[in-house]
């Protein structure tokens, strides 16, 4: 795996296919300038303070209303334009199998309260990449971090991802309204295009986009799934993706309660990657381990407020293998 401290990004991730050939399964660019001018700015990056959306860029905390920058259809997305993805992180430690990055997000940055000290550790164990997140604050503040790698298990952004097979360990999802803001409902996936409880082609139900309100609002899949958990905060399987052509399989385990599945609906070929391939419509997918979108404004969603004296700590693991 190749990491840059610009945005703490995964630039490349190489893994073998069923013939033993190494291939790069993460979309990325060949220079910092290309990342900065990309139509899609979140390639491979660490996202924060708050991944996903906060409605109208507002939340109330301890009697005060905080206003955040609007950068996505009237809402706040992925920490704002100068969120963690657009910062240069300090390299605290690095060796053959891990890298530790830190960043101080100062009080008021992108409208958030408190000085937030963040540390993220990427570690490789054989065929696994783990991402461990840690943060402390001196004022109460929302925190919801993730990594935003775009994957294509065929390697080097070949083909679209509609023939990839996907399992999501989630019996429920959070339906959205305009601007992809959750309504607050927790809805069963059974009998809907959002049922990935057994292996299913990612593209199988996309022909229902005109008739299914949720697919229509997202332009396809761009939704948070509520992960099945025996105990809150426990490490468990969130997703399994298999590419029949290459034989590559990726399992994602996480301590987070949710995962955002995004099917590359807004890619349009305007970005050209490190191997010269254009990032076309549905040429990749993202699976972002997370707390739910807009949780600071949704009292029935799991808490995302970090208090002084507490430590935000969570881990996600990406395991790669070959299957037939």
């Amino acid at each position: 795996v190749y990491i840059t401290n610009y945005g703490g990004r995964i630039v490349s991730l190489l893994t073998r296919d069923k013939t033993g050939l190494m291939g790069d399964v993460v979309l990325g660019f060949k220079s910092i300038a290309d990342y900065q001018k990309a139509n899609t700015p979140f390639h491979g990056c660490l996202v924060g303070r708050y991944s996903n959306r906060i409605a109208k860029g507002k939340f109330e905390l301890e009697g005060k209303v905080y206003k955040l920058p609007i950068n996505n259809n009237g809402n706040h997305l992925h920490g704002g334009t100068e969120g963690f993805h657009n910062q240069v992180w300090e390299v605290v430690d690095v060796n053959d199998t891990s890298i530790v990055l830190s960043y101080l997000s100062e009080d008021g940055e992108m409208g958030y309260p408190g000085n937030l000290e963040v540390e993220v550790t990427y570690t490789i164990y054989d065929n696994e990449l783990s991402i461990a997140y840690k943060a402390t604050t001196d004022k109460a503040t929302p925190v919801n971090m993730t990594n935003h790698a775009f994957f294509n298990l065929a390697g080097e952004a070949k083909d679209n991802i509609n023939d990839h097979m996907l399992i999501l360990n989630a019996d429920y999802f959070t339906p959205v309204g305009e601007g992809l803001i959750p309504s607050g409902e927790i809805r069963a996936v059974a009998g809907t295009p959002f049922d990935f409880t057994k292996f299913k082609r990612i593209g199988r139900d996309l022909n229902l986009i005109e008739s299914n309100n949720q697919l229509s609002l997202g332009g396809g899949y761009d939704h948070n799934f509520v992960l099945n958990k025996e105990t809150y905060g426990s490490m468990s399987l969130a997703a399994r993706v298999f590419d029949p052509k290459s034989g590559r399989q990726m399992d994602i385990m996480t301590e987070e309660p949710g995962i955002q599945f995004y099917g590359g609906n807004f890619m349009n070929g305007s970005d050209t990657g490190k191997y010269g391939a254009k990032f076309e419509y549905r040429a990749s997918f993202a699976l972002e381990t997370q707390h739910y979108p807009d949780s600071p404004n949704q009292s029935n969603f799991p808490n995302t407020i970090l208090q002084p004296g507490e430590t935000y700590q969570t881990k996600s693991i990406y395991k790669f293998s070959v299957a037939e």
Side-chain angles (χ1 to χ4, degrees):
V1 66
Y2 296 79
I3 308 288
T4 174
N5 64 332
Y6 173 58
R9 298 170 189 269
I10 299 173
V11 176
S12 293
L13 197 156
L14 302 169
T15 185
R16 297 188 189 279
D17 69 5
K18 60 188 176 184
T19 70
L21 186 67
M22 293 292 275
D24 192 346
V25 298
V26 167
L27 277 62
F29 299 98
K30 61 185 178 183
S31 70
I32 298 297
D34 285 350
Y35 279 103
Q36 291 177 319
K37 68 184 182 184
N39 183 56
T40 303
F42 300 108
H43 280 278
C45 62
L46 298 174
V47 178
R49 293 187 190 187
Y50 201 95
S51 63
N52 219 307
R53 294 166 177 85
I54 293 179
K56 299 178 182 177
K58 291 181 183 179
F59 65 91
E60 184 175 337
L61 181 57
E62 297 179 344
K64 181 177 178 179
V65 175
Y66 290 90
K67 296 182 180 180
L68 313 174
I70 301 299
N71 62 332
N72 183 260
N73 298 321
N75 300 304
H76 177 80
L77 176 67
H78 291 334
T81 53
E82 299 302 317
F84 292 179
H85 67 288
N86 231 356
Q87 305 299 331
V88 176
W89 291 61
E90 181 183 349
V91 179
V92 177
D93 188 34
V94 63
N95 58 42
D96 287 346
T97 58
S98 69
I99 183 169
V100 182
L101 302 171
S102 70
Y103 177 66
L104 172 62
S105 177
E106 295 184 350
D107 186 17
E109 184 175 276
M110 290 285 98
Y112 289 94
N115 293 294
L116 187 75
E117 295 187 26
V118 184
E119 184 176 276
V120 176
T121 303
Y122 288 99
T123 307
I124 288 179
Y125 305 95
D126 297 323
N127 61 338
E128 296 180 0
L129 172 67
S130 83
I131 310 177
Y133 307 83
K134 187 177 180 181
T136 56
T137 184
D138 58 4
K139 287 183 186 177
T141 187
V143 183
N144 181 28
M145 291 185 63
T146 194
N147 176 275
H148 206 302
F150 288 97
F151 293 97
N152 183 322
L153 298 187
E156 301 181 14
K158 296 173 184 171
D159 307 323
N160 70 34
I161 45 83
N162 285 347
D163 287 334
H164 281 41
M165 306 295 290
L166 173 65
I167 289 175
L168 293 173
N169 185 20
D171 294 333
Y172 296 88
F173 77 110
T174 52
V176 297
E178 295 296 332
L180 300 178
I181 297 296
S183 64
E185 179 188 356
I186 306 288
R187 184 182 297 178
V189 301
T192 78
F194 294 82
D195 189 348
F196 285 93
T197 52
K198 297 178 180 177
F199 259 141
K200 183 175 78 173
R201 281 182 57 250
I202 286 175
R204 193 190 81 176
D205 293 331
L206 288 174
N207 62 323
L208 302 174
I209 197 166
E210 297 299 327
S211 59
N212 182 276
N213 171 258
Q214 287 299 303
L215 285 178
S216 179
L217 284 166
Y221 296 106
D222 194 3
H223 295 74
N224 171 66
F225 287 76
V226 176
L227 295 174
N228 300 329
K229 292 277 183 182
E230 288 190 11
T231 55
Y232 182 77
S234 62
M235 180 68 74
S236 62
L237 181 70
R240 173 170 291 160
V241 193
F242 171 61
D243 173 34
K245 290 182 181 178
S246 69
R248 291 189 181 96
Q249 181 168 293
M250 176 176 69
D251 290 356
I252 300 177
M253 285 77 71
T254 188
E255 295 173 342
E256 288 295 288
I259 193 165
Q260 182 86 3
F261 171 42
Y262 169 62
N265 312 324
F266 304 116
M267 299 221 174
N268 58 14
S270 60
D271 292 334
T272 300
K274 59 205 168 201
Y275 301 107
K278 292 184 180 299
F279 296 157
E280 302 288 358
Y281 183 56
R282 298 200 173 123
S284 65
F285 64 88
L287 285 164
E288 305 149 60
T289 57
Q290 60 172 16
H291 273 60
Y292 309 165
D294 199 36
S295 290
N297 296 312
Q298 306 275 357
S299 59
N300 63 318
F301 285 0
N303 175 56
T304 57
I305 304 302
L306 180 68
Q307 299 286 348
E310 297 177 342
T311 299
Y312 171 91
Q313 209 155 7
T314 185
K315 181 188 284 188
S316 295
I317 297 171
Y318 303 77
K319 181 179 180 179
F320 296 89
S321 58
V322 173
E324 296 297 333

